[in-house]
Amino acid sequence: MTGSRDPSGRRLGGRTGVGAPLTDRTYSDEDLIRIALALAAPALDTGDVPVGALVLGPSGEIVGEGCNAREATGDPTAHAEIVALRAAAVALDGWNLAGCTLAVTVEPCTMCAGAIGAARVDRVVFGCWEPRTGAAGSLWDVLRDRRLTHRVEVRGGVLEADCAALVRDFFAGRRD
């Protein structure tokens, strides 16, 4: 992997989402998922499933953010990961996101896992597992499939209970 890292492997540098750059900021995986949880909130206003994602650039700054926006935009591909990847590609002036980490509140689906691999993202951190559609180790493992030309380091289950509760509460509210 590339980019500035401390001895434990965490990325250095960064931005707190929309805010100003911070110097010597280190994001733990838990920090990234907390930010992604905050990014998920706007999806609730549009009736989208509350999933949030961000892309941490090679220098440790947040270069892309997103939440699910399928209902808001009418775009079937507007998953949080895709929205964040598109923003990161614009910010980094190209599709190749080598050296980047994507953090998302829910395990990526097959479509998102394909996009993550196509973008050459180095690492994915996610909150809760998705046993019905997950493609990062639950149902499929697209991100680490040895038959593909790019494999991604994956860490799942980060703040799993918080991420699962957000989605569970959303669907419980829709059933009432």
Side-chain angles (χ1 to χ4, degrees):
M1 284 187 282
T2 60
S4 302
R5 296 182 179 273
D6 72 5
S8 70
R10 294 181 295 188
R11 293 187 185 277
L12 301 173
R15 187 179 288 273
T16 58
V18 181
L22 299 174
T23 57
D24 299 323
R25 171 68 195 210
T26 300
Y27 291 108
S28 68
D29 290 347
E30 290 76 11
D31 292 334
L32 295 174
I33 295 300
R34 282 187 192 95
I35 296 167
L37 279 164
L39 292 169
L44 293 168
D45 296 334
T46 60
D48 280 287
V49 179
V51 177
L54 63 95
V55 177
L56 196 66
S59 299
E61 73 285 4
I62 295 174
V63 296
E65 300 175 340
C67 67
N68 272 358
R70 292 186 335 158
E71 297 296 330
T73 63
D75 177 356
T77 69
H79 287 197
E81 300 94 314
I82 302 294
V83 174
L85 288 169
R86 288 176 177 158
V90 169
L92 296 175
D93 198 30
W95 64 266
N96 191 325
L97 303 180
C100 292
T101 294
L102 183 138
V104 61
T105 55
V106 178
E107 179 182 8
C109 70
T110 307
M111 174 184 70
C112 293
I116 290 163
R120 304 297 190 259
V121 170
D122 281 359
R123 188 165 184 263
V124 169
V125 177
F126 66 87
C128 62
W129 297 90
E130 175 42 84
R132 291 183 204 99
T133 63
S138 285
L139 188 56
W140 296 287
D141 199 353
V142 172
L143 295 176
R144 294 176 287 201
D145 191 319
R146 292 178 179 250
R147 296 169 293 184
L148 301 176
T149 58
H150 181 74
R151 283 171 293 286
V152 179
E153 178 186 336
V154 176
R155 180 173 178 216
V158 178
L159 301 179
E160 182 173 8
D162 296 336
C163 295
L166 183 62
V167 174
R168 184 181 57 248
D169 292 349
F170 170 79
F171 284 110
R174 293 182 71 83
R175 286 187 214 106
D176 294 339

